[in-house]
Amino acid sequence: MDSSNLTSRPEEGSEETHHSHNLPSAFSSAPTRPPIQTSSQKYAPSDWSGYFDEEDDIQIPDSDDVFHVYMAGTEGPVIFCLHGGGYSGVSFALAASKIKEKARIVAMDLRGHGKTSTQNDVDLSIERLCSDVFSVLKTMYGDAPPAIVLVGHSMGGAVAVHVAAKKSLPSLAGLVVVDVVEGTAMASLIHMQKILSNRMQHFSTPEKAIEWSIKSGSLRNIDSACVSIPSTLKYDDSKKCYTHRARLEETEQFWKGWYEGLSEKFLSSPVPKILLLAGTDRLDRTLTIGQMQGKFQMVVVRHTGHAIQEDVPDEFVTLVLNFISHNRIGPHGIEIPGLRRPPQSKP
């Protein structure tokens, strides 16, 4: 209905009829309506550089493997982030923009994901994934790495736990595991192939993939989806469309190894640790007992889906930084008040 027809009209024959065009409309002071966003505008991709400071390719010596990393921040401990299966390092983009104010952050594209290139993209065995993390850390920092706080989401959380449990990373100062628990993970494996096959496989544009991620509920934060989803896609020349970069359906033989024995390994990790969950139903018996014994900190994050770091990045950052502060993790490890560190000898 045209609002211009709703202005008050004087009765016919009245003297005011001749001056009605000078009367203000009842709607003349109404605010202008913002333009309606089209679907392509609402789900337009955004670039990682708005959140991270830089990206780099880490060439592993004596191999053809090149791991892509995103980095931000200049001081403090290194928060080293491992994404879930099918995600990428850019999954931590929104968190990085806040974390870099207090600490350094490195988010790596795991084998078979994002911009990482390896000789075998479908070897996602837990042994290989752990070896990749050690290789990247060694190549980046040599024999004198800074304090490392490992953060892992889903599959990346399993990798972080296994790396910590090996006790071969001397500078490891903390462990943050995001929404992965052995009991529920093992129980869900029988449904995983069906879940993978039921998801939309082909997208005409990155915008369509971003829109699908939100409407399917896999992500709940449009800002995060717009920056992270494009990095999970590859263009298929034969089909003239975009498809998923990670070939997870070809890695089923490794899934059990990610999660088997995870709870015991988590509890045995010799560093401060925190478990962030999207629901209390995810806690299994071993972790319930460990939590009651005070062996780790646990936080249930409300109003979020599986990807806590993407859905509620501000809350995720607050929890991670509070964990670091509470455990006095500095650039060189746990800092004990009153104890001065000896000066580093220069080579």
Side-chain angles (χ1 to χ4, degrees):
M1 183 183 291
D2 185 357
S3 63
S4 63
N5 294 328
L6 297 179
T7 55
S8 56
R9 294 179 178 273
E11 293 183 24
E12 278 188 11
S14 72
E15 199 173 325
E16 288 183 345
T17 305
H18 305 292
H19 307 287
S20 61
H21 62 279
N22 294 325
L23 292 174
S25 163
F27 295 90
S28 61
S29 62
T32 55
R33 184 176 296 175
I36 297 174
Q37 280 188 312
T38 64
S39 180
S40 60
Q41 290 173 323
K42 184 177 182 181
Y43 300 108
S46 55
D47 196 67
W48 63 266
S49 60
Y51 305 93
F52 289 99
D53 295 339
E54 57 182 315
E55 62 179 345
D56 199 6
D57 287 316
I58 308 301
Q59 170 76 56
I60 305 304
D62 303 318
S63 94
D64 294 326
D65 295 344
V66 180
F67 291 91
H68 199 74
V69 298
Y70 300 89
M71 298 174 287
T74 57
E75 53 190 20
V78 170
I79 300 174
F80 197 88
C81 300
L82 306 174
H83 61 78
Y87 296 78
S88 81
V90 189
S91 178
F92 295 92
L94 268 64
S97 66
K98 300 284 190 350
I99 285 175
K100 68 182 182 182
E101 298 170 6
K102 303 285 186 181
R104 288 173 281 179
I105 179 169
V106 176
M108 141 186 196
D109 284 343
L110 293 170
R111 176 179 294 262
H113 293 75
K115 296 180 182 178
T116 282
S117 171
T118 66
Q119 291 177 297
N120 186 351
D121 275 357
V122 293
D123 180 5
L124 298 189
S125 65
I126 194 65
E127 294 81 10
R128 175 65 68 186
L129 293 171
C130 288
S131 174
D132 290 343
V133 172
F134 283 118
S135 295
V136 169
L137 287 170
K138 174 77 171 176
T139 306
M140 289 182 71
Y141 301 114
D143 294 324
I148 302 287
V149 176
L150 276 179
V151 176
H153 168 239
S154 197
M155 177 193 79
V159 177
V161 168
H162 279 81
V163 167
K166 289 181 184 296
K167 303 177 184 177
S168 52
L169 187 59
S171 69
L172 183 64
L175 177 62
V176 180
V177 175
V178 184
D179 210 41
V180 58
V181 166
E182 178 183 348
T184 46
M186 292 293 288
S188 69
L189 289 183
I190 58 171
H191 308 292
M192 194 54 61
Q193 282 289 8
K194 185 175 182 180
I195 291 170
L196 291 173
S197 62
N198 283 347
R199 64 180 178 168
M200 191 174 288
Q201 302 291 334
H202 305 104
F203 309 95
S204 57
T205 63
E207 286 87 344
K208 290 296 184 185
I210 294 167
E211 182 176 4
W212 169 81
S213 75
I214 293 294
K215 292 187 174 178
S216 67
S218 60
L219 293 178
R220 300 186 184 184
N221 184 328
I222 292 181
D223 290 339
S224 190
C226 286
V227 68
S228 71
I229 290 297
S231 65
T232 68
L233 305 172
K234 64 177 180 180
Y235 189 73
D236 188 328
D237 281 314
S238 63
K239 296 186 173 68
K240 303 298 180 188
C241 66
Y242 292 88
T243 187
H244 301 286
R245 156 77 172 96
R247 291 145 56 191
L248 292 178
E249 63 281 356
E250 298 176 35
T251 66
E252 183 175 5
Q253 59 182 307
F254 305 120
W255 297 348
K256 188 177 178 182
W258 298 344
Y259 305 120
E260 201 166 43
L262 194 65
S263 293
E264 290 291 353
K265 282 184 167 62
F266 176 70
L267 293 175
S268 71
S269 301
V271 291
K273 41 198 170 283
I274 184 172
L275 177 62
L276 307 181
L277 296 178
T280 51
D281 58 315
R282 289 160 164 80
L283 213 58
D284 60 27
R285 184 174 182 272
T286 303
L287 288 183
T288 300
I289 295 171
Q291 205 261 332
M292 291 172 66
Q293 294 173 338
K295 292 185 177 179
F296 65 95
Q297 183 184 352
M298 185 189 77
V299 177
V300 177
V301 184
R302 308 290 179 185
H303 312 299
T304 179
H306 178 49
I308 295 173
Q309 75 281 5
E310 297 209 45
D311 291 348
V312 286
D314 289 350
E315 188 170 354
F316 172 78
V317 168
T318 298
L319 289 166
V320 171
L321 292 180
N322 283 350
F323 168 76
I324 290 172
S325 174
H326 175 75
N327 290 287
R328 302 181 183 277
I329 301 171
H332 305 292
I334 305 298
E335 296 181 341
I336 302 173
L339 181 65
R340 294 186 62 185
R341 292 184 60 83
Q344 298 287 322
S345 58
K346 295 182 180 180

